[in-house]
Amino acid sequence: MTAGIDDIAVYIPKLFLDATDFANARGMDPKKLEKGLGVSKMAIVDTNQDPACLASNACLRLMKKNKLSPEDIGRLYIATESALDESKAMNSYVIGMLEQVYGDGSFGHCGGIECKFACVSGSYALYDNANWIRAGEAENKSAIVIVSDIAKYELGSSGEYTQGAGAIAMLLNDNPRLLQFDPKVTSTSIRNEYDFYRPLGRETPIVHGQYSNLLYLIQVKNALELYKQKALSTGLIKPKEGETFLDYIDFLNMHLPYSTMGKKALAYLLRHEWRELPRWKSIIEKIGMEEPNPKNPIGTIESVLSDTEFMGKDHEFTKKFTQTEEFQEFYDSRLASSLIASKMIGNLYTASLYLGFRSCLEFEFQKGSDLAGKRFGFGSYGSGSSAMIFSGVIQPAYKEIVSDMNIESEVGQRVKLSLEDYEALHENKRSFNDSILNSKHEFVIVDIENKPESKGERRYAYTN
Ligand code: CAA
């Protein structure tokens, strides 16, 4: 039994913070954001939007576009790290909103849970739902997996310039038009870590930025090692002498907390994969220096980060490696298109990887690439921490879906925030009924109860 992604819909809030305005206000060089991190705009939620609204808006778009009725859906999963409640799952809020459109009780037959593991949980949700379909449990129904988040960091912190917000809804079935998952190769790595976490009651995370960057790379590499073993033992990929598994991945999509993280991850993985291959010799000659090693090669992440001599040399080596034509060719042809939307929108936590996938489809199609039969590899990472590597093949019917993709028109007319309005929104100085925009045809919050017996109950409406 096969399973995969049939269609995908995006909802991005219309308010945004311009990275240059932000950098100027914080006394930073705007080039650090634009070039260093690949951030030009960050989507920001209005006062009357929460992650459940974003999720419902994406899901409604997916259902309307595919003329789906609730009867067609067997499971509705939400992956998020922006939970609204310690107990009540975000799915229930979303079902409540959707039933305002489709009728009270119309989703009564539908199961689902809220999934949490920082940014990787959407990938676990996809995998579990794909397996539900493969197991023959779906009874001709589809599953919907929604990834929805508000990436919000403390004012003045180094995470503040990697914010964003949005949701992506994905339709899964046994005859997908877009991407069929490769069976029996999905691989994970997991480890108890405190690179990025949000203790109960806090709205913003505690972050160890450089630690989280390096951990992301290590965890993804570990998951890739397992993927390679599985791809070899199932016969999915059989590299010939002098080749690597990545030669067989036509397009790569990575988790993108900011868009240049994709390039960083690609450089790390290619160094790892190419090091033992004949092609490495000529690359090293072009780079003009040997690959550096930390003083303690089996040390902790802290020991590597504090080895400043190694870190400096490694940084120099990576920069030179990314300038070689071998790297550039791989980057331009297999990764670059997936980074475009992230630059325009920012970090979406769980949804970032899938915004990258969506971006790759749209911009490769615009370039005239024929994607049918091409293998997409996915590198998912969630702090805390776990990585997942999986892959899938683009299906012949993909053009039906991809030819209509236009991220700019799907986001709609965007409104630039002043720094003052951004900070007031960030610090929750405006109440939910004092929104900046007058939204139309969207779910928004219309009430949040404050009485002790009903504290936190949220009411939503679909605006006309
Ligand atoms: N012009 C051009 N480039 C510049 C520049 C300038 N004037 N100044 C700096 N840069 C470049 C730097 O060289 C660097 O690029 P390279 O790594 O290629 O050298 C880049 O800009 C970033 O500079 P820094 O590393 O000095 O940036 P920073 O320390 O201020 O912050 C960060 C970077 C650690 C990612 C920080 O934004 C952060 O803490 N973010 C939140 C945590 C995060 O996103 N971690 C990612 C992995 S964990 C994860 O993925 C889960 C998740 O979603 C959160």
mmCIF file of all heavy atoms in Angstrom, residues 121-146:
data_model
loop_
_atom_site.group_PDB
_atom_site.id
_atom_site.type_symbol
_atom_site.label_atom_id
_atom_site.label_comp_id
_atom_site.label_asym_id
_atom_site.label_seq_id
_atom_site.Cartn_x
_atom_site.Cartn_y
_atom_site.Cartn_z
ATOM 1 N N SER A 121 7.831 17.657 14.900
ATOM 2 C CA SER A 121 6.629 16.856 15.162
ATOM 3 C C SER A 121 5.736 16.710 13.931
ATOM 4 O O SER A 121 5.028 15.713 13.796
ATOM 5 C CB SER A 121 5.828 17.435 16.328
ATOM 6 O OG SER A 121 5.437 18.745 16.029
ATOM 7 N N GLY A 122 5.762 17.687 13.032
ATOM 8 C CA GLY A 122 4.950 17.576 11.816
ATOM 9 C C GLY A 122 5.400 16.390 10.978
ATOM 10 O O GLY A 122 4.582 15.723 10.330
ATOM 11 N N SER A 123 6.695 16.121 11.004
ATOM 12 C CA SER A 123 7.220 15.005 10.211
ATOM 13 C C SER A 123 6.798 13.672 10.839
ATOM 14 O O SER A 123 6.455 12.728 10.130
ATOM 15 C CB SER A 123 8.742 15.106 10.112
ATOM 16 O OG SER A 123 9.068 16.376 9.605
ATOM 17 N N TYR A 124 6.816 13.615 12.186
ATOM 18 C CA TYR A 124 6.294 12.409 12.864
ATOM 19 C C TYR A 124 4.807 12.233 12.538
ATOM 20 O O TYR A 124 4.337 11.113 12.328
ATOM 21 C CB TYR A 124 6.489 12.516 14.381
ATOM 22 C CG TYR A 124 7.880 12.136 14.860
ATOM 23 C CD1 TYR A 124 8.866 13.098 15.064
ATOM 24 C CD2 TYR A 124 8.210 10.805 15.125
ATOM 25 C CE1 TYR A 124 10.130 12.752 15.520
ATOM 26 C CE2 TYR A 124 9.477 10.445 15.573
ATOM 27 C CZ TYR A 124 10.437 11.420 15.770
ATOM 28 O OH TYR A 124 11.693 11.065 16.210
ATOM 29 N N ALA A 125 4.057 13.353 12.508
ATOM 30 C CA ALA A 125 2.614 13.263 12.225
ATOM 31 C C ALA A 125 2.371 12.761 10.804
ATOM 32 O O ALA A 125 1.480 11.935 10.571
ATOM 33 C CB ALA A 125 1.958 14.627 12.431
ATOM 34 N N LEU A 126 3.187 13.222 9.873
ATOM 35 C CA LEU A 126 3.045 12.743 8.484
ATOM 36 C C LEU A 126 3.329 11.245 8.409
ATOM 37 O O LEU A 126 2.609 10.486 7.756
ATOM 38 C CB LEU A 126 4.044 13.457 7.572
ATOM 39 C CG LEU A 126 3.693 14.827 7.009
ATOM 40 C CD1 LEU A 126 4.771 15.269 6.037
ATOM 41 C CD2 LEU A 126 2.341 14.839 6.304
ATOM 42 N N TYR A 127 4.412 10.842 9.094
ATOM 43 C CA TYR A 127 4.830 9.433 9.067
ATOM 44 C C TYR A 127 3.744 8.538 9.669
ATOM 45 O O TYR A 127 3.362 7.512 9.086
ATOM 46 C CB TYR A 127 6.150 9.312 9.835
ATOM 47 C CG TYR A 127 6.756 7.936 9.864
ATOM 48 C CD1 TYR A 127 6.988 7.240 8.690
ATOM 49 C CD2 TYR A 127 7.118 7.346 11.073
ATOM 50 C CE1 TYR A 127 7.558 5.970 8.714
ATOM 51 C CE2 TYR A 127 7.698 6.075 11.100
ATOM 52 C CZ TYR A 127 7.907 5.401 9.920
ATOM 53 O OH TYR A 127 8.469 4.158 9.929
ATOM 54 N N ASP A 128 3.213 8.944 10.813
ATOM 55 C CA ASP A 128 2.184 8.127 11.477
ATOM 56 C C ASP A 128 0.920 8.032 10.623
ATOM 57 O O ASP A 128 0.292 6.976 10.534
ATOM 58 C CB ASP A 128 1.837 8.709 12.856
ATOM 59 C CG ASP A 128 2.995 8.554 13.832
ATOM 60 O OD1 ASP A 128 4.004 7.918 13.447
ATOM 61 O OD2 ASP A 128 2.912 9.069 14.958
ATOM 62 N N ASN A 129 0.547 9.139 10.002
ATOM 63 C CA ASN A 129 -0.663 9.114 9.176
ATOM 64 C C ASN A 129 -0.440 8.344 7.871
ATOM 65 O O ASN A 129 -1.348 7.684 7.384
ATOM 66 C CB ASN A 129 -1.172 10.536 8.929
ATOM 67 C CG ASN A 129 -1.943 11.023 10.142
ATOM 68 O OD1 ASN A 129 -3.084 10.615 10.360
ATOM 69 N ND2 ASN A 129 -1.320 11.829 10.970
ATOM 70 N N ALA A 130 0.775 8.433 7.334
ATOM 71 C CA ALA A 130 1.090 7.635 6.137
ATOM 72 C C ALA A 130 0.970 6.150 6.491
ATOM 73 O O ALA A 130 0.447 5.339 5.709
ATOM 74 C CB ALA A 130 2.489 7.959 5.639
ATOM 75 N N ASN A 131 1.425 5.793 7.703
ATOM 76 C CA ASN A 131 1.354 4.388 8.113
ATOM 77 C C ASN A 131 -0.079 3.938 8.372
ATOM 78 O O ASN A 131 -0.429 2.777 8.140
ATOM 79 C CB ASN A 131 2.240 4.143 9.329
ATOM 80 C CG ASN A 131 3.703 4.152 8.927
ATOM 81 O OD1 ASN A 131 4.026 3.896 7.764
ATOM 82 N ND2 ASN A 131 4.588 4.483 9.854
ATOM 83 N N TRP A 132 -0.931 4.852 8.824
ATOM 84 C CA TRP A 132 -2.361 4.566 8.982
ATOM 85 C C TRP A 132 -2.958 4.214 7.619
ATOM 86 O O TRP A 132 -3.737 3.265 7.474
ATOM 87 C CB TRP A 132 -3.034 5.805 9.599
ATOM 88 C CG TRP A 132 -4.517 5.793 9.703
ATOM 89 C CD1 TRP A 132 -5.282 5.054 10.547
ATOM 90 C CD2 TRP A 132 -5.435 6.598 8.932
ATOM 91 N NE1 TRP A 132 -6.619 5.344 10.365
ATOM 92 C CE2 TRP A 132 -6.730 6.288 9.379
ATOM 93 C CE3 TRP A 132 -5.290 7.547 7.925
ATOM 94 C CZ2 TRP A 132 -7.874 6.897 8.854
ATOM 95 C CZ3 TRP A 132 -6.422 8.155 7.396
ATOM 96 C CH2 TRP A 132 -7.684 7.832 7.862
ATOM 97 N N ILE A 133 -2.552 4.958 6.613
ATOM 98 C CA ILE A 133 -3.050 4.699 5.254
ATOM 99 C C ILE A 133 -2.472 3.380 4.730
ATOM 100 O O ILE A 133 -3.192 2.522 4.224
ATOM 101 C CB ILE A 133 -2.692 5.875 4.321
ATOM 102 C CG1 ILE A 133 -3.492 7.118 4.739
ATOM 103 C CG2 ILE A 133 -2.944 5.538 2.855
ATOM 104 C CD1 ILE A 133 -2.998 8.423 4.156
ATOM 105 N N ARG A 134 -1.146 3.217 4.921
ATOM 106 C CA ARG A 134 -0.499 1.987 4.418
ATOM 107 C C ARG A 134 -1.053 0.733 5.088
ATOM 108 O O ARG A 134 -1.093 -0.339 4.478
ATOM 109 C CB ARG A 134 1.000 2.037 4.689
ATOM 110 C CG ARG A 134 1.764 2.988 3.797
ATOM 111 C CD ARG A 134 3.187 3.038 4.278
ATOM 112 N NE ARG A 134 4.014 3.911 3.490
ATOM 113 C CZ ARG A 134 4.916 4.744 4.018
ATOM 114 N NH1 ARG A 134 5.086 4.822 5.327
ATOM 115 N NH2 ARG A 134 5.650 5.497 3.236
ATOM 116 N N ALA A 135 -1.480 0.872 6.340
ATOM 117 C CA ALA A 135 -2.010 -0.292 7.074
ATOM 118 C C ALA A 135 -3.417 -0.672 6.607
ATOM 119 O O ALA A 135 -3.990 -1.646 7.091
ATOM 120 C CB ALA A 135 -2.011 0.004 8.574
ATOM 121 N N GLY A 136 -3.990 0.129 5.716
ATOM 122 C CA GLY A 136 -5.337 -0.174 5.228
ATOM 123 C C GLY A 136 -6.437 0.213 6.198
ATOM 124 O O GLY A 136 -7.557 -0.284 6.117
ATOM 125 N N GLU A 137 -6.128 1.122 7.123
ATOM 126 C CA GLU A 137 -7.109 1.531 8.134
ATOM 127 C C GLU A 137 -7.982 2.699 7.651
ATOM 128 O O GLU A 137 -8.924 3.092 8.320
ATOM 129 C CB GLU A 137 -6.384 1.997 9.406
ATOM 130 C CG GLU A 137 -5.557 0.936 10.096
ATOM 131 C CD GLU A 137 -6.346 0.192 11.159
ATOM 132 O OE1 GLU A 137 -7.395 0.683 11.574
ATOM 133 O OE2 GLU A 137 -5.892 -0.892 11.538
ATOM 134 N N ALA A 138 -7.621 3.302 6.516
ATOM 135 C CA ALA A 138 -8.233 4.586 6.155
ATOM 136 C C ALA A 138 -9.636 4.458 5.564
ATOM 137 O O ALA A 138 -10.384 5.442 5.548
ATOM 138 C CB ALA A 138 -7.329 5.333 5.176
ATOM 139 N N GLU A 139 -10.003 3.288 5.091
ATOM 140 C CA GLU A 139 -11.338 3.043 4.518
ATOM 141 C C GLU A 139 -11.739 4.144 3.531
ATOM 142 O O GLU A 139 -12.784 4.791 3.673
ATOM 143 C CB GLU A 139 -12.376 2.930 5.643
ATOM 144 C CG GLU A 139 -12.099 1.739 6.539
ATOM 145 C CD GLU A 139 -12.995 1.686 7.762
ATOM 146 O OE1 GLU A 139 -13.387 2.770 8.243
ATOM 147 O OE2 GLU A 139 -13.277 0.566 8.207
ATOM 148 N N ASN A 140 -10.872 4.361 2.570
ATOM 149 C CA ASN A 140 -11.109 5.354 1.504
ATOM 150 C C ASN A 140 -11.178 6.797 1.978
ATOM 151 O O ASN A 140 -11.626 7.665 1.237
ATOM 152 C CB ASN A 140 -12.382 5.026 0.708
ATOM 153 C CG ASN A 140 -12.199 3.761 -0.075
ATOM 154 O OD1 ASN A 140 -11.100 3.509 -0.584
ATOM 155 N ND2 ASN A 140 -13.230 2.948 -0.128
ATOM 156 N N LYS A 141 -10.782 7.039 3.200
ATOM 157 C CA LYS A 141 -10.745 8.426 3.656
ATOM 158 C C LYS A 141 -9.302 8.934 3.587
ATOM 159 O O LYS A 141 -8.355 8.149 3.541
ATOM 160 C CB LYS A 141 -11.277 8.550 5.083
ATOM 161 C CG LYS A 141 -12.770 8.236 5.205
ATOM 162 C CD LYS A 141 -13.284 8.683 6.534
ATOM 163 C CE LYS A 141 -14.676 8.136 6.835
ATOM 164 N NZ LYS A 141 -15.723 8.591 5.922
ATOM 165 N N SER A 142 -9.170 10.260 3.626
ATOM 166 C CA SER A 142 -7.844 10.877 3.629
ATOM 167 C C SER A 142 -7.510 11.343 5.029
ATOM 168 O O SER A 142 -8.396 11.457 5.892
ATOM 169 C CB SER A 142 -7.841 12.094 2.703
ATOM 170 O OG SER A 142 -8.147 11.700 1.399
ATOM 171 N N ALA A 143 -6.231 11.648 5.236
ATOM 172 C CA ALA A 143 -5.819 12.277 6.494
ATOM 173 C C ALA A 143 -5.373 13.703 6.172
ATOM 174 O O ALA A 143 -4.886 13.969 5.070
ATOM 175 C CB ALA A 143 -4.657 11.504 7.109
ATOM 176 N N ILE A 144 -5.578 14.592 7.139
ATOM 177 C CA ILE A 144 -5.015 15.946 6.992
ATOM 178 C C ILE A 144 -4.032 16.149 8.137
ATOM 179 O O ILE A 144 -4.353 15.893 9.300
ATOM 180 C CB ILE A 144 -6.114 17.031 7.015
ATOM 181 C CG1 ILE A 144 -6.967 16.948 5.749
ATOM 182 C CG2 ILE A 144 -5.484 18.427 7.129
ATOM 183 C CD1 ILE A 144 -8.086 17.981 5.653
ATOM 184 N N VAL A 145 -2.815 16.576 7.796
ATOM 185 C CA VAL A 145 -1.824 16.948 8.813
ATOM 186 C C VAL A 145 -1.595 18.451 8.675
ATOM 187 O O VAL A 145 -1.273 18.934 7.588
ATOM 188 C CB VAL A 145 -0.499 16.178 8.627
ATOM 189 C CG1 VAL A 145 0.580 16.752 9.540
ATOM 190 C CG2 VAL A 145 -0.703 14.693 8.921
ATOM 191 N N ILE A 146 -1.802 19.169 9.788
ATOM 192 C CA ILE A 146 -1.578 20.625 9.754
ATOM 193 C C ILE A 146 -0.383 20.938 10.653
ATOM 194 O O ILE A 146 -0.302 20.443 11.783
ATOM 195 C CB ILE A 146 -2.802 21.412 10.268
ATOM 196 C CG1 ILE A 146 -4.087 20.907 9.603
ATOM 197 C CG2 ILE A 146 -2.626 22.909 10.003
ATOM 198 C CD1 ILE A 146 -5.357 21.489 10.202
#
